[in-house]
Amino acid sequence: MRLKKFLTVIFIFALAGTGSASGIYYDAPTFSPYKAGSVRREILSDALAEVNYARWIAGVPNNVTLNEEYTRRAQMGAVLLDAVDTLTHEPPKPDDMPEEFYALGYDATSHGNIAVAKVYRGNEVRGNLNLIDTTKMYMEDTDGHNVGAVGHRRWLMNPRLKQVGFGISERRGYSVTYVIESFRIKRNQLTEAEYAEYLDWMKWPIPDEFITWPSCKHPHPLSWFEAKTAWSVTLDSNVFDDCKPGHVGVVMTRLDDGRMWRFGNAGNNGYFEIAPSKVAYDECLIFCPDNLKEYRRGEMWKVEVYGLSRKDGKPGNLSYTVSFTD
């Protein structure tokens, strides 16, 4: 099946960077000497609006705002990735890059979502896609190794997320979006005040105990879900115990004709994975049915999850319904 490995989140953009101002920049990046440049406000606003729209579909707070410092660091991170031409959360330092520039760029790549998209035309290589399209790509998030965690998707749907920052380097098509607002989760690394702040941050600001994609909160647009896309259920870690391997089962039923797909201990009708809570702080069930060519407008699906354990001792089974729309 598809390889399983976690890759955090990112954003990509297109066009060829020349060092002079282009359609997306007030001030374009330069390399050696390094200048981060700055992205036009309307481009950042459109990217933010698309993130909030995806969050609205998922039924989580859609009032995320743009953080100027996150954006400044994300822009440096995008230039750093472009300079080393490697998609990695831990990029090496280019010999000619100033230390402060590298430190801030590294902070963004290691605490953000990263991506690259390139188009090859003979000997010419340049960035491809745009920020709006890439938001859909992150919510898709199930090509290749990403399916084992759907980490891009989980960070964008995290109900705790309040601020983001975007960075784009057009030259080779690298991008960063800063999404990890709280990351020091080891108790022995925090002061009492920091730990209390962390516990407060970890609370879900929504009454729902789980988050689904495709969404069970609103009719799900078909343009935001392909037949190959894996379904996911993110579980509130304040409510559910860690899942026990071999205990959890998922049953999907297409209500139009009653056809069923079973996963985990319920059967083996497709891809199934329990992704750990280290990604976006909550466990996630990931499943994708075999032999399904398309979803259709008006189609209704029921999902039932068995074998979950709650911290309050109550039965942990859950079910929800998804409907697809244009």
Side-chain angles (χ1 to χ4, degrees):
M1 203 78 187
R2 287 169 276 197
L3 297 177
K4 298 175 289 182
K5 182 181 177 183
F6 168 61
L7 174 65
T8 325
V9 196
I10 62 184
F11 281 82
I12 315 170
F13 210 121
L15 307 178
T18 62
S20 59
S22 75
I24 71 165
Y25 294 118
Y26 286 122
D27 185 25
T30 61
F31 299 81
S32 192
Y34 291 94
K35 180 179 68 175
S38 59
V39 177
R40 292 185 182 277
R41 177 60 54 174
E42 57 267 30
I43 300 295
L44 297 174
S45 296
D46 287 347
L48 179 65
E50 195 73 357
V51 168
N52 276 319
Y53 177 61
R55 289 173 63 84
W56 176 83
I57 294 173
V60 297
N62 60 322
N63 56 353
V64 171
T65 61
L66 191 70
N67 182 294
E68 298 295 340
E69 180 60 20
Y70 290 176
T71 296
R72 185 173 80 95
R73 296 186 182 214
Q75 185 59 33
M76 292 181 178
V79 171
L80 170 58
L81 291 177
D82 193 318
V84 300
D85 197 14
T86 304
L87 188 65
T88 172
H89 290 289
E90 300 177 337
K93 180 183 178 299
D95 292 338
D96 58 346
M97 180 174 284
E99 188 64 44
E100 182 180 7
F101 192 111
Y102 173 69
L104 294 176
Y106 186 93
D107 175 71
T109 63
S110 60
H111 295 105
N113 307 336
I114 58 172
V116 64
K118 299 182 180 184
V119 59
Y120 296 84
R121 296 174 181 171
N123 293 326
E124 180 186 11
V125 180
R126 66 176 184 176
N128 193 32
L129 294 180
N130 59 62
L131 285 175
I132 290 178
D133 289 342
T134 52
T135 297
K136 287 185 179 180
M137 183 189 72
Y138 301 132
M139 297 305 292
E140 165 70 22
D141 208 24
T142 50
D143 286 334
H145 55 252
N146 290 342
V147 68
V150 293
H152 304 77
R153 178 192 301 177
R154 288 161 68 188
W155 273 116
L156 289 182
M157 292 196 305
N158 190 334
R160 309 173 185 91
L161 186 66
K162 296 180 177 62
Q163 300 178 91
V164 295
F166 302 101
I168 309 163
S169 185
E170 289 184 314
R171 185 179 70 162
R172 290 179 174 140
Y174 285 90
S175 179
V176 176
T177 187
Y178 204 119
V179 294
I180 304 178
E181 295 186 276
S182 181
F183 53 88
R184 294 180 302 172
I185 60 175
K186 292 184 179 179
R187 177 69 180 92
N188 60 5
Q189 294 179 349
L190 305 179
T191 66
E192 291 296 330
E194 289 172 335
Y195 186 61
E197 182 180 3
Y198 166 72
L199 291 179
D200 185 64
W201 184 88
M202 278 292 293
K203 298 175 183 177
W204 275 31
I206 57 176
D208 303 291
E209 298 176 341
F210 58 92
I211 301 168
T212 74
W213 193 263
S215 176
C216 63
K217 304 301 291 185
H218 300 283
H220 198 98
L222 287 169
S223 61
W224 283 78
F225 206 79
E226 301 178 9
K228 65 176 182 177
T229 305
W231 296 50
S232 63
V233 180
T234 301
L235 305 169
D236 181 358
S237 60
N238 300 292
V239 173
F240 294 95
D241 290 323
D242 289 346
C243 295
K244 298 178 181 178
H247 284 237
V248 178
V250 177
V251 178
M252 289 176 57
T253 304
R254 186 166 56 196
L255 297 180
D256 299 61
D257 60 6
R259 184 179 175 185
M260 304 176 76
W261 283 260
R262 301 174 182 274
F263 309 90
N265 72 356
N268 187 26
N269 294 143
Y271 181 86
F272 179 73
E273 182 68 31
I274 300 173
S277 59
K278 67 180 181 180
V279 181
Y281 309 110
D282 303 285
E283 275 193 318
C284 183
L285 308 178
I286 304 165
F287 45 98
C288 186
D290 284 340
N291 304 317
L292 185 64
K293 294 183 179 180
E294 65 177 343
Y295 297 100
R296 298 178 180 178
R297 179 181 180 274
E299 208 168 61
M300 300 284 294
W301 289 76
K302 183 177 181 180
V303 177
E304 299 165 283
V305 182
Y306 304 98
L308 299 178
S309 176
R310 296 172 57 100
K311 295 182 184 297
D312 60 10
K314 296 179 181 178
N317 298 343
L318 61 88
S319 66
Y320 62 92
T321 303
V322 169
S323 64
F324 288 102
T325 187
D326 289 336

